[in-house]
Amino acid sequence: MDANDKYACAELIQAWGLYRDQGKWPQLLATFVPEGEIAVSWFSGSFREFVDRCRRSFEAGQRSKHQIFPSIVRLAGDRALAETNIVILVRQKITGVLADMTSCARFLDRLERREGRWAIVERAAIYERDRLDAVEPSEAFDKLFAASELSTYPEAYRYMAARLNAAGRQPQALAEGAAVLSARLLRRGRARDRHGRAGARALRRAGLRAPRDRA
């Protein structure tokens, strides 16, 4: 039934956040297909490598919290597109100042049902706005912003980028990787909506779809 499949996809997306935040790595791996890909603020590539990097960060003491809202799921047989609002919460020291970062974003997911089980094939995080707050009032926090050139980063993830830089990560791939993947997912969803499976296959044969698409 459509309702059961939509529920299964939505629950999978909720479970992803729980497994990610609690360090349940085997369960997290199982939310994606083996060849799955992901593009988020600090990483773009294989989901398996993403999980490995998450594990290493977790073991080093880094933590984040993903608040995941109800998903909108569109089905097309054994395939689905889902869009989900999320809030990412991170507490981190930036040049010695303890700060809370809050980022509002969306997950855009492409899912497939294989052997009766739904899993995510591709995910792109689309960042909308964020903010950075001192955990306690601090002159050092004010000086931190006075000394920072944050205008070099896009407004949608300005403070996320500052946090990543402070952690020694490179945020620039964020815009490129996520934008490319999200555009590709949207193209695929629109092709299925307008043309159905047969039409989508015809579009692929005509070279109008990404070559890595398995549909």
Side-chain angles (χ1 to χ4, degrees), residues 95-122:
T95 62
V97 180
L98 192 61
D100 282 337
M101 193 280 302
T102 304
S103 176
C104 298
R106 287 174 289 142
F107 281 157
L108 186 61
D109 293 323
R110 185 166 71 92
L111 305 95
E112 289 186 5
R113 179 170 50 194
R114 299 181 183 180
E115 298 179 352
R117 190 181 75 86
W118 286 97
I120 302 166
V121 178
E122 292 177 291

Side-chain angles (χ1 to χ4, degrees), residues 1-169:
M1 289 180 60
D2 280 2
N4 289 338
D5 288 326
K6 286 186 175 185
Y7 176 81
C9 291
E11 186 179 43
L12 178 71
I13 293 165
Q14 289 286 333
W16 184 96
L18 189 69
Y19 300 152
R20 166 74 175 83
D21 294 345
Q22 295 189 2
K24 297 183 176 181
W25 312 122
Q27 295 95 323
L28 182 63
L29 269 173
T31 61
F32 270 64
V33 299
E35 73 277 16
E37 293 185 2
I38 187 169
V40 294
S41 63
W42 54 273
F43 180 86
S44 180
S46 158
F47 184 68
R48 187 170 295 277
E49 184 180 351
F50 168 85
V51 173
D52 185 58
R53 293 196 188 184
C54 289
R55 177 184 56 78
R56 282 183 274 165
S57 296
F58 193 90
E59 291 172 353
Q62 298 179 22
R63 297 289 187 275
S64 61
K65 184 72 174 178
H66 294 75
Q67 296 180 341
I68 300 181
F69 293 82
S71 301
I72 300 297
V73 180
R74 291 184 293 162
L75 295 172
D78 289 333
R79 297 172 176 82
L81 282 177
E83 192 166 6
T84 310
N85 284 322
I86 66 164
V87 175
I88 306 165
L89 305 171
V90 181
R91 177 165 290 183
Q92 176 185 323
K93 277 192 174 181
I94 300 178
T95 62
V97 180
L98 192 61
D100 282 337
M101 193 280 302
T102 304
S103 176
C104 298
R106 287 174 289 142
F107 281 157
L108 186 61
D109 293 323
R110 185 166 71 92
L111 305 95
E112 289 186 5
R113 179 170 50 194
R114 299 181 183 180
E115 298 179 352
R117 190 181 75 86
W118 286 97
I120 302 166
V121 178
E122 292 177 291
R123 164 171 289 175
I126 303 169
Y127 295 85
E128 297 174 339
R129 61 183 175 87
D130 62 2
R131 62 180 292 154
L132 197 64
D133 299 284
V135 175
E136 297 180 354
S138 165
E139 288 185 8
F141 187 75
D142 296 336
K143 291 177 181 178
L144 168 66
F145 277 88
S148 301
E149 184 49 66
L150 297 175
S151 62
T152 58
Y153 303 118
E155 185 178 356
Y157 64 95
R158 183 162 293 163
Y159 302 106
M160 171 78 79
R163 182 191 74 81
L164 291 170
N165 268 335
R169 294 174 173 175

